[in-house]
Amino acid sequence: MLGNFKFKEDILIACRTLNITEEELAKITDLNFRTVRNNYNNGKKVDILEKIYNSFYKICLRLNVVKSEIYQETLSANEILLFHGSKSSIDELTLTGTRNNCDFGVGFYCSTSYSSSLTFIEPSQNSSVYIFSLKEKVLSILTLQASLERMLIVCFHKGMLNQYSNHPLLKETLKLLENKNLIVAPIADNRMFQIMRDFGDGYITDKQVIHALSASRLGNQYILKSEKALDALILKERVYVCELEKLNSISQTTERKIEIDNKLAFARREFRNQGKYIDEVFK
């Protein structure tokens, strides 16, 4: 298994932060002190982890956020901090663990934002986030913004453009991915995908959807597409995500969905009759 939780270190950090002893911390979490100590070395029982980290969250001790900020501050000039939300433990880093219909096909997907990595594990129990650093300098990178090219690539991998698979425009766009170790692009969650599907189904124009997608604020995703890219990835830590933290993330996702829907409604009105529908793009 890739990475163990730093449970003992987290207990000590919490004690120093709150200026209390381990015995006092055990009382806060409604656990026996011996139970906490035994969990240092006996496999990290999930029920104990959940109780401890939920207690931290209740008293506003956001260990994972703090750790992310500290890791960010200690990066070298050529490094970037990345996060990968996992519904279960990872045995090893591979390029083939994802589905073919992910945004940019198979690869290892990471995010530049800790909070956005939570959106992919919100409904899952026993989930966690892996924190990595990546040295970009040695890699061949394709960077995509909120653009028609990005939409076409994502829609293609989502199976929305099968009828245009032989179109020169789509073929030329997909060539952008060739021989790239790393792809950097804005993150799209499920609401974003639905908006892209509306574009693929011919309900909204490219201009309307691009403006709607700009409301995401999820940061960028980094998709590692080669073994060379995986070799440049360095594991910093695997952090436990408790139920309260995931519930808070769900609440934020709901709020963001409302903002995106409002932005789409505005874009529909503001850019009516502007841009191209999907059949006009592939005319």
Side-chain angles (χ1 to χ4, degrees), residues 83-99:
F83 304 88
H84 176 87
S86 177
K87 296 178 181 179
S88 59
S89 61
I90 299 176
D91 293 326
E92 62 178 337
L93 298 181
T94 67
L95 300 173
T96 57
T98 54
R99 305 180 306 276

Side-chain angles (χ1 to χ4, degrees), residues 72-91:
Q72 184 69 55
E73 293 165 3
T74 56
L75 291 176
S76 66
N78 296 322
E79 287 183 303
I80 186 169
L81 201 65
L82 297 176
F83 304 88
H84 176 87
S86 177
K87 296 178 181 179
S88 59
S89 61
I90 299 176
D91 293 326

Side-chain angles (χ1 to χ4, degrees), residues 102-166:
C102 287
D103 293 17
F104 297 93
V106 295
F108 189 75
Y109 285 68
C110 295
S111 164
T112 56
S113 165
Y114 172 73
S115 60
S116 66
S117 68
L118 295 180
T119 64
F120 298 96
I121 60 172
E122 286 172 351
S124 305
Q125 294 182 334
N126 306 333
S127 50
S128 56
V129 170
Y130 289 83
I131 304 176
F132 298 96
S133 65
L134 178 70
K135 294 184 178 180
E136 300 177 276
K137 193 173 182 180
V138 298
L139 303 176
S140 172
I141 304 173
L142 170 65
T143 301
L144 295 168
Q145 304 300 331
S147 62
L148 177 61
E149 288 80 7
R150 175 214 175 193
M151 284 197 302
L152 293 181
I153 292 172
V154 173
C155 288
F156 168 78
H157 284 104
K158 294 292 182 181
M160 304 177 195
L161 302 180
N162 293 335
Q163 67 271 41
Y164 304 110
S165 58
N166 292 319

Side-chain angles (χ1 to χ4, degrees), residues 201-226:
D201 289 341
Y203 296 127
I204 55 179
T205 68
D206 55 352
K207 192 164 186 176
Q208 288 172 316
V209 69
I210 287 172
H211 282 280
L213 294 179
S214 67
S216 170
R217 301 197 321 275
L218 285 172
N220 284 332
Q221 57 182 328
Y222 276 56
I223 304 94
L224 287 71
K225 299 287 287 184
S226 70

Side-chain angles (χ1 to χ4, degrees), residues 4 8 38 55-56 63 117 122 163 181 241:
N4 292 316
K8 181 178 180 179
N38 288 342
S55 297
F56 289 168
L63 279 179
S117 68
E122 286 172 351
Q163 67 271 41
N181 304 131
V241 183

